[in-house]
Amino acid sequence: MPDFATFAPVTDRDIERYLTDELDADARAAFEVELQRQPALQAHIDDRRASQAAFAQLHPPPAFLDDTPPRPFWQRWWWTMPAFAMAALLVVGLPSSTTGGDGIVARGSATFAATVTVKRGDRLFALPSTAPSEGRPQVLLRKGDALRVDIEGGVGHTLLLALQSGGRGTVLLQSDVDQPKWSQPSSLVLDDAVGEERLVAVLCDAADVGVRRRALEAGQVPQGAMTWRYSKEPQ
Amino acid sequence: MSTLAAKERHPHMDLSAWYLRYGEPVLRRCRRLMADDALAHDLLQETFLRAHKHQRSYRGGSALSWLLTIADRACFDALKRRARLPVAADGELPSTVEALDLWPSAVRRDFVRTLLSHTDERTALIVIRRYFDELSLDDIAAELQLNEKTIRRSLTSFLAHARTFDQPQEGAHA
């Protein structure tokens, strides 16, 4: 071990192993001899145990840790490869009849692509879109995080943006999209409620706005909508 | 000191239990590397997100080492994003690894932390194990599955790189 170890011959990693019960019996006995010999080490261990207890009280394990881990992509998608190959052949062989782009198209809805950016302090990161029926959210957000939605496409349609949790929803925004690139005028700042939430964006014809609003308020995700799911952690 | 890792393996991974058991050491590691409490909390979450996503890559052995390595990589990525120029205490830089060993530990860690964002990931993992975990060269070699000569060479080149910053540079922290 290096001569500079603070509690030589005990290293910092030994301390972590001791505190997490990773030392075997011999090493543990040797460590405890050092505890007797070095009062400063004993005091340090006492402090660390207090920190561990505080951590366990203040930081419950995030919900996503109980989920089944995602399988590697080749395990998830290998069976779809023949279907993709067939689809690619069809696309090459048939004249295009869709509007194209990376967005979503569905009956009664517009084609669009949307991104959600999270601002936390001076940091920005993207919130990945998710399928409405996927398992528990993998993303943890917290009070004060500011979410901004940017839309591409869907000019001439009406955007509905809703926040859903517990089987109910609130429409946060209804706005006509009048330009190819549209940004939410003011960010959504998350409150201190803890739990899972889902942000839903859908573009629809003016005539369908009422139906879509009611669906969103009932906690449903209309066809063609994009969703972003996250958990909110306690402070 | 030997660990249970060599003799026993975790029968299965329970990340929620691991979070309670290893979360505090992981958070401590992130705090020490980032010197930023809020960012350290984010990186604790990031570490366990990565652990959850890549849990199939865990091959047994010390869960602490496995999680700290994930934390180191997450912190390294974060340090790269906010790369700062390193500044040594009193403007002096150690000429050798042995000279750095003589520095007070807190000063040495501050110095190493600022330099981490300017190195490659493998060197960062070696340096963190040396100067934060206080591991011997052969322990580092065993944990990272590298030979001792490589460890020594990496530490030396890490310091050599530090010396390239030994001139006043615009934007350096006072």
Side-chain angles (χ1 to χ4, degrees):
Chain A
M1 105 212 23
D3 295 336
F4 56 73
T6 312
F7 299 105
V10 172
T11 65
D12 197 80
R13 180 65 73 86
D14 290 333
I15 292 169
E16 302 295 1
R17 288 169 175 158
Y18 177 75
L19 289 167
T20 53
D21 286 332
E22 281 207 353
L23 288 178
D24 63 23
D26 293 344
R28 192 170 185 84
F31 190 98
E32 283 166 355
V33 168
E34 288 301 322
L35 281 179
Q36 300 287 329
R37 203 176 64 82
Q38 299 190 55
L41 175 59
Q42 180 65 63
H44 179 71
I45 292 293
D46 292 344
D47 281 350
R48 291 294 309 282
R49 287 214 189 281
S51 295
Q52 280 188 310
F55 178 89
Q57 282 199 331
L58 296 171
H59 299 83
F64 66 80
L65 293 177
D66 293 328
D67 292 345
T68 305
R71 285 182 293 163
F73 77 95
W74 62 88
Q75 288 181 20
R76 278 178 282 157
W77 298 109
W78 68 268
W79 57 273
T80 61
M81 293 305 173
F84 275 124
M86 287 298 293
L89 283 173
L90 283 171
V91 168
V92 169
L94 294 175
S96 173
S97 59
T98 64
T99 50
D102 297 329
I104 289 175
V105 64
R107 188 178 53 206
S109 302
T111 302
F112 71 104
T115 54
V116 175
T117 308
V118 182
K119 185 170 190 298
R120 177 180 296 167
D122 57 356
R123 298 172 55 218
L124 292 172
F125 56 94
L127 185 64
S129 63
T130 48
S133 58
E134 273 182 14
R136 298 176 78 173
Q138 303 281 308
V139 178
L140 276 176
L141 298 181
R142 61 169 71 146
K143 177 188 173 186
D145 285 345
L147 278 56
R148 194 193 69 202
V149 180
D150 294 292
I151 303 280
E152 280 191 51
V155 175
H157 291 77
T158 302
L159 168 71
L160 292 172
L161 190 64
L163 193 62
Q164 297 178 330
S165 65
R168 298 182 60 83
T170 304
V171 176
L172 303 171
L173 184 71
Q174 175 180 329
S175 177
D176 293 332
V177 178
D178 54 6
Q179 46 195 317
K181 289 191 177 183
W182 181 93
S183 291
Q184 189 182 346
S186 59
S187 297
L188 163 66
V189 179
L190 299 185
D191 61 15
D192 57 358
V194 174
E196 295 178 19
E197 288 183 349
R198 176 166 68 193
L199 191 63
V200 186
V202 64
L203 281 164
C204 56
D205 295 332
D208 294 325
V209 167
V211 177
R212 293 283 190 274
R213 279 191 76 107
R214 281 193 291 279
L216 290 168
E217 285 164 356
Q220 297 165 4
V221 178
Q223 273 194 321
M226 286 188 75
T227 57
W228 296 264
R229 300 171 66 243
Y230 53 86
S231 291
K232 273 161 63 189
E233 62 174 352
Q235 287 292 295
Chain B
M1 291 191 178
S2 60
T3 70
L4 285 177
K7 299 176 183 173
E8 296 177 13
R9 290 190 166 201
H10 292 274
H12 62 273
M13 181 180 289
D14 178 350
L15 274 176
S16 290
W18 282 17
Y19 188 85
L20 293 173
R21 184 172 173 183
Y22 299 107
E24 192 269 342
V26 169
L27 178 60
R28 178 173 180 260
R29 168 70 120 234
C30 297
R31 277 190 178 127
R32 295 170 90 193
L33 287 176
M34 305 308 297
D36 179 329
D37 197 52
L39 194 51
H41 277 88
D42 289 349
L43 288 163
L44 167 71
Q45 300 294 326
E46 172 72 18
T47 299
F48 276 88
L49 261 176
R50 290 187 187 192
H52 179 260
K53 185 176 176 186
H54 300 293
Q55 59 187 272
R56 286 182 172 82
S57 69
Y58 175 67
R59 297 283 177 261
S62 167
L64 177 67
S65 298
W66 187 68
L67 288 168
L68 288 180
T69 302
I70 295 172
D72 291 345
R73 290 196 167 113
C75 290
F76 180 71
D77 291 345
L79 283 167
K80 282 279 185 195
R81 285 196 292 274
R82 65 159 205 195
R84 292 174 174 175
L85 294 175
V87 173
D90 301 327
E92 290 182 7
L93 289 161
S95 55
T96 63
V97 172
E98 289 72 23
L100 180 59
D101 289 355
L102 296 175
W103 282 22
S105 59
V107 177
R108 184 173 50 235
R109 283 180 184 139
D110 281 348
F111 167 68
V112 166
R113 183 189 304 118
T114 54
L115 199 58
L116 279 176
S117 59
H118 299 272
T119 190
D120 60 283
E121 185 181 276
R122 188 179 74 174
T123 304
L125 292 178
I126 292 169
V127 166
I128 290 166
R129 270 146 194 75
R130 179 70 174 172
Y131 297 115
F132 286 80
D133 290 334
E134 302 174 336
L135 293 186
S136 64
L137 299 189
D138 55 338
D139 281 345
I140 299 171
E143 184 163 308
L144 297 180
Q145 298 182 334
L146 298 168
N147 66 47
E148 202 174 316
K149 198 173 169 185
T150 303
I151 307 287
R152 196 177 295 279
R153 199 167 49 229
S154 293
L155 289 172
T156 303
S157 69
F158 178 74
L159 279 190
H161 189 57
R163 285 193 291 278
T164 65
F165 292 96
D166 198 16
Q167 299 296 323
Q169 298 185 46
E170 194 177 339
H173 292 266

